[in-house]
Amino acid sequence: MTVRIAQISDAHLGASRDPFGPNFDLAAQHIRDARPDLLLATGDLSLDGADSDADLAAAWARHAAIGVEWRAVPGNHDVGDEAALGGRQPWNGARAARWATVAGPRCWLHDLPGWRLIGLDTQSLISDAGQWDFLAGALADAGGRAIALVQHKPLTEQGLSDDAVNYWPVLPAPRGRLLALLGGMRPALVLSGHLHMWRDRVGDGIRQVWAPSTGFVVGDRWQEALGEKRIGWVEHHFHADGTHDCVLRDIPLARPHDLGDMPEVYGPLEPVTQA
Ligand SMILES: [Fe+2]
Ligand SMILES: [Fe+2]
C-alpha cells in the first residue's frame, strides 16, 4: 500500500495584507486536482500569525478549505522563534497559546502503514521542555515503523557536524539532543520548509526533503542558494515497506515573487556577505 501525501509550505497568508494569496489559491486547486490522501503544511502558514490572531486564523482556514485531511506544524512566522536567536518575535507561551487556540497541538504523531510521522515545533526545542517528553514517547512506541520528522526548519543545512548558530536550521544543541534521543538510529526522513528552496538530499544517513514555498523565493543576493529556488509543493509516496519517493510539483501560472524585491512585506533584507 502506498500513501500519497502533498507537502505544502511557507504560504505566508495574511488577513488584510495578502501578497502571496493568489499563488496559494493556484496551489490549492492544483492539490485538489491531485487528490492526495493527506496534506502536510510545514510551517509559516501565515504572514504574521506570531503577532496577529486574524492572520493565523485566516491562514488556517484557507489551508483547511483545500478540503483534504491535513496536519500542520508551526513556523517562525506563526509562533515566533527561539529566544536564543534574539529576533523581534521570540517564541513564548502567548504565541504558543494562539496556535493552540486556532490550530491545536504544535507536535503530533500520525501513523501510516510502515511509517510514523512525527510533527515538531522546531522554534521551541530549547524553550519548551514538554516537547521532549512527547518526542521520547513517540519514538519509544513506534513499533518498528520508519520515522519521518515533519518540521519547519531543516535538521541541518550541510550535515550533522554543522555548528553554525543562525536563523536557518535546527540549532546545534537541540539537534544533538534529538540525535541522542534516537540512540544509534537515524530518522528515515526529515520533511521541512523555511528556506523557501527545493532540495532532496541524503547526508549522514538521513534523507532531508526541503519543500519550497508556495508564495515566494528569496533571491541569491539575500540568501545563499543551497537548493533550487522554485515555487511549488512536493508530492510524496510513502510505501508500506518503509521506503519513500517524492517529486517536486511546480504550480502552473504562479508568480515567482522574490521577497528581496518586496520590502513592504517584512522590511528590507540584508544582502548576504561574500566570504
Ligand atoms: Fe517562510
Ligand atoms: Fe520560516
Side-chain angles (χ1 to χ4, degrees):
M1 181 187 177
T2 295
V3 177
R4 293 173 61 239
I5 295 183
Q7 182 187 0
I8 194 169
S9 203
D10 293 86
H12 290 256
L13 300 175
S16 53
R17 294 187 305 140
D18 191 33
F20 310 114
N23 274 1
F24 180 82
D25 291 340
L26 293 168
Q29 188 56 49
H30 202 217
I31 289 169
R32 276 185 210 106
D33 293 344
R35 303 173 64 90
D37 300 306
L38 182 70
L39 173 68
L40 296 174
T42 43
D44 286 356
L45 285 69
S46 64
L47 194 68
D48 190 23
D51 275 331
S52 164
D53 292 343
D55 271 15
L56 193 60
W60 188 264
R62 288 177 69 183
H63 281 75
I66 293 176
V68 175
E69 181 186 2
W70 72 300
R71 309 296 299 252
V73 291
N76 52 298
H77 287 281
D78 303 314
V79 294
D81 210 345
E82 295 281 17
L85 287 169
R88 68 178 183 86
Q89 293 177 313
W91 186 96
N92 58 34
R95 291 191 163 109
R98 178 185 290 118
W99 176 273
T101 299
V102 172
R106 288 176 296 108
C107 47
W108 42 260
L109 62 84
H110 187 106
D111 286 340
L112 311 172
W115 286 87
R116 169 159 285 186
L117 312 183
I118 302 177
L120 295 175
D121 172 7
T122 45
Q123 293 64 244
S124 65
L125 290 171
I126 293 175
S127 306
D128 178 14
Q131 210 176 175
W132 292 97
D133 296 333
F134 165 80
L135 183 56
L139 293 171
D141 68 358
R145 296 167 185 270
I147 299 294
L149 302 179
V150 180
Q151 53 193 53
H152 184 54
K153 294 189 176 187
L155 197 56
T156 66
E157 286 186 302
Q158 302 292 353
L160 294 179
S161 60
D162 288 359
D163 57 6
V165 174
N166 67 40
Y167 173 77
W168 295 114
V170 170
L171 295 175
R175 182 192 309 133
R177 184 173 177 180
L178 176 61
L179 293 171
L181 197 58
L182 284 159
M185 294 171 47
R186 293 280 185 262
L189 191 60
V190 180
L191 310 185
S192 59
H194 187 49
L195 284 97
H196 293 231
M197 287 183 249
W198 156 246
R199 196 173 81 174
D200 179 5
R201 179 185 289 184
V202 179
D204 298 319
I206 304 172
R207 185 176 186 182
Q208 293 197 68
V209 177
W210 297 358
S213 164
T214 60
F216 63 88
V217 299
V218 183
D220 293 351
R221 186 175 166 198
W222 299 278
Q223 182 200 43
E224 185 181 0
L226 298 173
E228 294 180 41
K229 296 186 176 180
R230 308 262 290 266
I231 304 289
W233 57 280
V234 184
E235 180 175 328
H236 297 273
H237 301 132
F238 284 81
H239 308 296
D241 64 359
T243 61
H244 156 271
D245 59 82
C246 65
V247 63
L248 174 70
R249 297 294 185 200
D250 292 307
I251 303 167
L253 305 177
R255 292 187 60 187
H257 295 294
D258 182 339
L259 190 66
D261 295 327
M262 306 172 76
E264 70 279 12
V265 178
Y266 290 121
L269 305 186
E270 289 287 325
V272 291
T273 52
Q274 301 298 323

